[in-house]
């Protein structure tokens, strides 16, 4: 990265490094046979986490052509006929991708520090996942997709218990399964609205009034109440109509789409380095908490829940202290609104804890925690029976998730445990943070506001020439993502190890 | 069904038929090996569609216990700890389900005329789908899930062309892939809002104003405009916040959830039999069309699109004539709003055409058609380049669908073609309709308003003792669904043949 940074600003033609710089690309052929034995053969003991998890992984990137190369260009042109390709970053060949390395159709192989927008947990073509993907249970889940609310499969409880629920956050022992982050959040919001109205109504036994039933059919109060979910400035919670109403990341995400008139509170703008700005940051967080409580008490549309990300991800990797989040838990509790933690991007190990909100040491659990991305399936956890609606069919849809993806998440959890990947991510993150901190001192004009200390590999910094930097990195074989206006965000997989991080923090290679 | 109907109203204890009444249950073991050769071996030539597609399918239901039996009860109790089971209809064992027959953990095997709420197209444990589900491409799609908007796989264009796009409705050659019916509809709505605002703004080149960008971040006009989607009374379009605002099926679906103040028009209430009520029905449809146009012109929140189901399914199987839908196409065109056809439940062959709206002979194609359910994946088709937003990242999310499910849909399409299943469904539907019509004459107190003539197997009738009837049918080995207040809806798979339908229409068996 040092060389990347030094060269940022001097746009030079994309060079083609000598193939001898890197090991040759390893082409991975996906076999349909169970690969458990392969997994056992190629993987070291989990106890020694500094040995490579996947010895047969490429030793580094291979750059054969400018990206996109001729084959990629052909594939992009082909796709453009029927599919919007304007957000395309890179055409991939996943059959040739392995571990932390993503391949393209031209034989280029890049170190992937973005991981499908933080969504690949244990590496491309992971042999243990391949075994799960080719199991009879998976085959049945793929071809016999159930309507889980009506006709669950006999082993659905067991799939949940040995998978999704095995990693349920403390205090939350129930789950509503969904398809992606957006609908996970929206179903959590729906649960919050039903809960709030039931309390206002006087309990689960109180029947809906005729007026409520009539007005609901016409989208009018009181059946369709004016109530709200409070979110924070710069937050991202999804793109559907309810979730988008709580998303406050960028105008381009929201323009022209009708939205609910729901409140937003300020999210702390912390100053870095944190150790030199403690007082000021404390005041900033107190200000934001006060604003939040004021909105809960006074906003014209009653607040049913507050939703927050442990680290605002799409909004630019904005952090707040554990004390801030404990404050939110207290405020929501004393004002009788729910506290929803959106762990769609932060969850499943990336921060060095399985759930990022474990860093907070909450006295009382969050009311709901939503998940997706690295879980490959989605939904929300809850622990309070009152969050089950008072009647069936209020929270319902045809599929209610996907057993195939739930089975995959179970395999991911097993792989995380087998290789101690949460611990690995904590350790690798420390190593990366220290290295980036040294670089930031050398290149303060390129690395600013380094953040994520103690948060695993969930690291970010601001770079005034961010887009140029990301482009250059890609040309040299390192795929990195941005977020917000100027943030470079590192979102490596949980199998990212020190030796993968070296090129990012060692000068010059 | 005759015996079911005769006995409806006389609630008797669930009897346990002698096992010799039915063939023994065939236990299907899912093999992880490609099964293409198996498929070839067990299936007859497509040319003779009256021969069984799957000779090894059970010859009829097997009822061994009351439903739920002891094993099912255990599984339900187990699941109840962490998952809401109050909408549960039946605990299933899909590994033991085959073709049109669904098995449960107690060895009961039922003829499934509901098919996971109309979502299983070509049978449980279908050998051709099993081959696709155990292919190397599927394994890679399962374990290497891409963020399709940023990093599509090199063969995504080909997967679309040989699958989703191969069956695209006439005039629509582009697709936005999604996860389920709700988000398919909501992304179509978003496309409609962007399109409408772009026209108001003066074209794709006109930039957003600072005021628009600022207000959008605060969910206020003009950035978050007051605009609407018009839907119809009794419509069902999904359960998320935007789609739920267009859903008008039942209060229980909507109560306590904030909704957009969007308009609803009357959907025709047709009188049956149609041949005896032509004049009145024509007037009713004209009234609904006039009301629709009046709302488009005068509703306080400008209408960007009209969304309609070809047959209102959840709302009780309400039909309208092709002339009504042609009228909607004309009205939307002349008032410059989009026409969205929601084929989530009607699509993929069930009405005897691949898309139900093919029955209408529209002079000009619909603007968008949404799909899900039997497609096992979801999204919306469109044909007008103007429906691509003017900038990237306006219509975007992490996954944007699921290649694994897109590969499965391709295999489903191939199976439909191989066995001529759309034609089969048209023929079987005619046979079923005729038989039900005869039964309706015999039992007018039980079968009323029979509807779906010429609409394949997408048949329904009203039954004053509907819930009792469905329960009794289940006890006798036939799983049927209801919709609306009193409708019995038949939603068999596309592999449902005359011999499967016999017990439903022959007296007495």
């Amino acid at each position: 990265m040092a060389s990347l940074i030094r060269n940022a600003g001097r746009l030079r033609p994309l060079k083609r490094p000598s193939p001898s710089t890197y090991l040759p690309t390893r082409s991975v052929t996906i076999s349909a046979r169970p690969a458990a034995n392969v997994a056992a053969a190629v993987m070291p003991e989990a106890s020694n986490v500094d040995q490579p998890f996947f010895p047969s992984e490429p030793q580094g990137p291979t750059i054969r052509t400018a990206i996109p190369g001729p084959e990629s260009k052909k594939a992009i042109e082909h796709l453009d006929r029927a599919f919007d390709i304007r957000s395309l970053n890179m055409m991939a060949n996943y059959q040739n991708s392995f571990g932390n390395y993503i391949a393209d159709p031209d034989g280029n192989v890049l170190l992937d520090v973005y991981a499908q927008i933080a969504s690949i947990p244990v590496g491309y073509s992971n042999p243990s996942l391949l075994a799960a993907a080719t199991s009879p249970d998976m085959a049945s889940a793929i071809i016999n997709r159930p309507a889980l609310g009506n006709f669950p499969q006999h082993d659905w409880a067991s799939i949940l218990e040995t998978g999704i629920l095995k990693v349920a956050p403390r205090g939350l022992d129930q789950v509503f399964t969904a398809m992606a982050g957006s609908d996970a959040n929206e179903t959590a919001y729906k649960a919050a609205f039903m809960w709030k109205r039931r309390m206002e109504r006087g309990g689960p036994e109180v029947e809906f009034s005729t007026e409520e039933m009539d007005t609901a059919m016409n989208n009018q109060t009181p059946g369709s109440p004016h109530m709200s979910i409070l979110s924070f400035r710069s937050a991202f919670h999804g793109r559907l109509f309810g979730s988008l109403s709580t998303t406050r990341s960028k105008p381009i995400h929201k323009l022209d789409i009708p939205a609910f008139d729901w409140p937003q509170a300020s999210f702390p703008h912390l100053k870095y380095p944190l150790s030199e700005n403690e007082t000021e940051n404390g005041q900033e967080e107190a200000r934001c908490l006060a604003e939040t409580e004021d909105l809960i008490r006074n906003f014209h549309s009653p607040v049913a829940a507050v939703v927050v990300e442990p680290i605002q991800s799409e909004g630019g990797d904005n952090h707040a202290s554990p004390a801030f989040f404990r404050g939110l838990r207290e405020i929501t509790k004393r004002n009788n609104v729910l506290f929803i933690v959106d762990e769609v991007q932060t969850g499943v190990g990336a921060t060095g804890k399985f759930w990022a909100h474990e860093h907070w040491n909450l006295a009382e659990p969050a009311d709901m925690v939503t998940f997706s991305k690295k879980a490959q399936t989605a939904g929300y956890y809850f622990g309070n029976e009152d969050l089950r609606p008072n009647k069936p069919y209020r929270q319902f849809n045809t599929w209610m998730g996907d057993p195939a993806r739930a089975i995959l998440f179970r395999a991911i959890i097993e792989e995380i445990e087998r290789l101690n990947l949460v611990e690995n991510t904590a350790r690798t993150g420390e190593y990366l943070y220290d290295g980036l901190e040294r670089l930031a001192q050398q290149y303060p004009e390129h690395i600013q506001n380094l953040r994520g200390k103690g948060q695993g590999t969930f690291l970010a910094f601001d770079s005034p020439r961010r887009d140029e930097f990301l482009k250059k990195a890609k040309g040299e074989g390192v795929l990195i993502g941005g977020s917000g206006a100027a943030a470079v965000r590192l979102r490596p997989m949980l199998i990212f190890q020190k030796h993968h991080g070296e090129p990012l923090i060692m000068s010059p290679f």
Side-chain angles (χ1 to χ4, degrees), chain A:
Chain A
M1 186 174 298
S3 78
L4 294 175
I5 289 166
R6 274 201 319 282
N7 289 317
R10 281 185 270 142
L11 270 179
R12 33 172 208 176
L14 281 158
K15 71 170 181 179
R16 182 166 166 175
S18 151
S20 64
T21 314
Y22 310 104
L23 283 187
T25 311
R26 182 179 174 284
S27 174
V28 177
T29 307
I30 302 283
S31 148
R33 276 165 304 164
N37 50 345
V38 179
V42 300
M43 289 175 195
E45 287 303 302
S47 56
N48 189 344
V49 291
D50 287 329
Q51 280 189 13
F53 295 131
F54 302 94
S56 51
E57 208 185 10
Q59 299 292 302
T62 301
I63 297 298
R64 296 210 167 118
T65 69
I67 298 174
E71 291 301 317
S72 295
K73 280 182 181 163
K74 263 189 259 174
I76 293 168
E77 203 178 313
H78 186 183
L79 184 56
D80 184 36
R81 290 179 217 155
F83 199 77
D84 192 343
I85 50 87
R86 289 170 302 167
S87 57
L88 189 143
N89 180 316
M90 177 183 148
M91 183 61 78
N93 181 321
Y94 294 107
Q95 280 92 337
N96 290 342
S97 302
F98 189 76
N100 290 281
Y101 289 87
I102 184 170
D104 80 359
D106 295 285
N108 299 300
V109 178
L110 285 75
L111 178 67
D112 189 351
V113 195
Y114 195 23
Q116 306 299 322
I117 321 182
S119 289
I120 297 286
V122 296
Y124 293 115
S125 304
N126 177 294
S128 304
L129 297 199
L130 181 59
T134 50
S135 68
D137 281 356
M138 180 66 86
S140 179
I142 289 283
I143 66 180
N144 297 320
R145 187 174 197 172
L148 282 168
N150 280 167
F151 306 98
Q153 55 203 82
H154 65 289
D155 56 353
W156 183 231
S158 145
I159 291 170
L160 291 175
E161 278 180 3
T162 57
I164 290 173
L165 289 167
K166 191 176 175 189
V167 294
R170 186 177 59 84
L172 310 184
D173 57 3
Q174 295 175 70
V175 70
F176 184 89
T177 44
M179 300 289 292
S182 282
D183 67 314
N185 281 330
E186 297 211 358
T187 44
Y189 300 172
K190 286 178 67 171
F193 288 122
M194 292 183 208
W195 169 85
K196 187 80 177 173
R197 284 291 296 137
R198 156 197 186 139
M199 289 207 316
E200 292 176 351
R201 200 177 275 120
E205 307 307 328
V206 183
E207 287 297 324
F208 306 114
S209 70
T210 308
E211 189 193 7
E212 283 178 318
M213 291 199 281
D214 291 347
T215 51
M217 295 304 286
N218 205 19
N219 294 5
Q220 302 295 320
T221 57
S224 305
H226 286 156
M227 301 186 83
S228 63
I229 304 290
L230 182 148
S231 61
F232 291 90
R233 280 178 213 281
S234 318
F236 185 92
H237 300 291
R239 301 260 203 164
L240 302 173
F241 285 83
S243 47
L244 189 61
S245 293
T246 56
T247 283
R248 314 281 184 166
S249 42
K250 291 179 179 171
I252 199 74
H253 299 159
K254 292 171 70 73
L255 276 157
D256 295 347
I257 312 302
F260 290 108
D261 183 16
W262 289 354
Q264 62 177 327
S266 298
F267 192 81
H269 275 276
L270 300 190
K271 291 205 171 154
Y272 291 86
L274 295 178
S275 56
E276 293 171 23
N277 296 281
E278 279 181 20
T279 310
E280 203 172 332
N281 286 339
Q283 287 166 346
E284 167 70 355
E285 292 194 337
R287 180 185 75 81
C288 295
L289 286 172
E291 188 182 321
T292 303
E293 186 156 29
D294 182 59
L295 281 165
I296 292 174
R297 291 186 174 169
N298 300 314
F299 190 75
H300 54 80
S301 180
V303 175
V306 170
V307 62
V308 73
E309 300 153 275
I311 300 163
Q312 288 191 333
S313 307
E314 298 305 310
D317 270 53
N318 308 316
H319 292 247
S321 74
F324 173 76
F325 293 104
R326 286 194 296 269
L328 281 184
R329 171 69 285 190
E330 284 163 27
I331 286 172
T332 48
K333 197 80 196 166
R334 73 169 165 252
N335 289 284
N336 215 13
V337 307
L338 297 178
F339 184 45
I340 304 174
V341 180
D342 175 346
E343 290 254 26
V344 168
Q345 188 153 163
T346 53
V348 191
T351 68
K353 305 262 188 196
F354 199 94
W355 300 108
H357 75 272
E358 292 171 38
H359 289 284
W360 306 340
N361 295 312
L362 292 178
E364 232 176 320
D367 295 300
M368 287 181 268
V369 172
T370 61
F371 61 96
S372 183
K373 286 193 178 268
K374 284 194 183 66
Q376 299 286 298
T377 184
Y380 67 88
Y381 295 103
F382 61 107
N384 180 351
E385 279 281 341
D386 290 348
L387 288 171
R388 281 194 188 194
N390 65 338
K391 290 176 193 289
Y393 284 104
R394 301 191 69 193
Q395 190 82 297
F396 182 86
N397 59 63
T398 298
W399 286 327
M400 289 177 48
D402 184 345
R405 293 289 171 194
I407 289 170
L408 191 72
F409 187 27
R410 176 170 67 181
I412 288 166
I413 293 165
E414 284 164 6
E415 187 73 344
I416 289 172
E417 288 174 347
R418 189 177 72 83
L419 298 173
N420 261 329
L421 293 180
V422 179
E423 189 189 307
N424 171 68
T425 302
R427 285 156 43 87
T428 307
E430 235 173 280
Y431 171 79
L432 274 180
Y433 183 89
D434 291 347
L436 288 171
E437 197 173 37
R438 280 194 301 273
L439 277 187
Q441 280 157 3
Q442 276 183 276
Y443 305 100
E445 72 281 18
H446 288 302
I447 299 196
Q448 297 164 2
N449 303 320
L450 176 65
R451 45 206 189 271
K453 188 179 172 65
Q455 301 282 320
T457 56
F458 212 98
L459 305 174
F461 54 86
D462 294 329
S463 174
R465 285 176 169 141
R466 191 262 312 269
D467 292 346
E468 203 176 300
F469 169 78
L470 297 180
K471 191 175 171 189
K472 183 170 294 291
K474 186 156 78 168
E476 300 195 2
V478 184
L479 184 61
I480 310 180
S483 62
V488 173
R489 58 171 157 172
L490 304 189
R491 281 309 106 88
M493 305 169 191
L494 309 179
I495 55 162
F496 195 84
Q497 294 177 279
K498 290 181 186 175
H499 67 271
H500 299 110
E502 266 169 35
L504 298 179
I505 60 170
M506 299 297 277
S507 71
F509 57 92

